[in-house]
Amino acid sequence: MAAQPVRAIWFDKSAANNWALGWHQDRTTAVQQRAEVPGYGPWSTKQGLLHVEPPFSVLESMVTLRIHLDPVPEDNAPLLVAPGSQRLGKIPEAGIAATVKACGAATCLAEAGDVWAYQTPILHASAASLADGHRRVLQVDYSTLDLPAPLAWLGI
């Protein structure tokens, strides 16, 4: 099966809408409807969309693209990643700081139009923006897997 887009997220940091995210792994994905399938859960709702945590092997097979619509210099909340952390499996919350220390942190600067690609479960973070203007990013997660029926990706 070819890679298919399974989730899209729109980020727009600005002076009026600014936030920081601590170090974390993306561990959930959006699905069309809830269905009890062994290994899938817990369930949550994010921005009105139903999400489930799949087995980690599903996340490890996914790739995320971040499409930058604005320049992202040091002061505009660039994505921070811990290189190699995506190969370490599901990292417990209590182990995140030590993992970032061991892997280091890389700053993902970008120009408008740049696209960053990474394995979905990489540890990542972002500070609040210190810049004027926007930091708009379209993030699209891709998978080559189908979810077990009756679960289905929400898609984009």
Side-chain angles (χ1 to χ4, degrees):
M1 168 184 227
Q4 61 182 326
V6 298
R7 179 174 75 158
I9 304 170
W10 173 250
F11 299 107
D12 184 3
K13 284 190 182 183
S14 66
N17 190 26
N18 201 358
W19 67 91
L21 282 175
W23 287 98
H24 67 283
Q25 288 177 304
D26 289 341
R27 294 188 184 167
T28 64
T29 192
V31 293
Q32 292 180 14
Q33 62 186 17
R34 185 177 179 133
E36 297 306 319
V37 174
Y40 286 76
W43 292 84
S44 59
T45 301
K46 299 177 183 181
Q47 297 182 336
L49 301 176
L50 185 61
H51 282 71
V52 66
E53 184 174 325
F56 204 75
S57 60
V58 173
L59 298 172
E60 288 175 315
S61 72
M62 294 173 65
V63 173
T64 297
L65 298 183
R66 289 175 58 95
I67 304 156
H68 297 269
L69 280 81
D70 299 297
V72 185
E74 291 277 351
D75 67 345
N76 202 10
L79 183 72
L80 306 171
V81 297
S85 63
Q86 72 277 10
R87 293 188 294 271
L88 302 176
K90 185 175 178 179
I91 301 166
E93 293 293 320
I96 289 177
T99 302
V100 171
K101 185 175 181 180
C103 292
T107 303
C108 302
L109 304 178
E111 294 297 328
D114 284 353
V115 177
W116 278 95
Y118 56 88
Q119 287 181 286
T120 301
I122 197 167
L123 278 173
H124 60 285
S126 176
S129 179
L130 302 174
D132 293 331
H134 290 266
R135 191 212 68 182
R136 294 172 295 179
V137 175
L138 176 61
Q139 176 177 306
V140 183
D141 297 336
Y142 288 84
S143 178
T144 59
L145 303 176
D146 282 326
L147 296 177
L151 288 177
W153 299 107
L154 180 60
I156 59 170

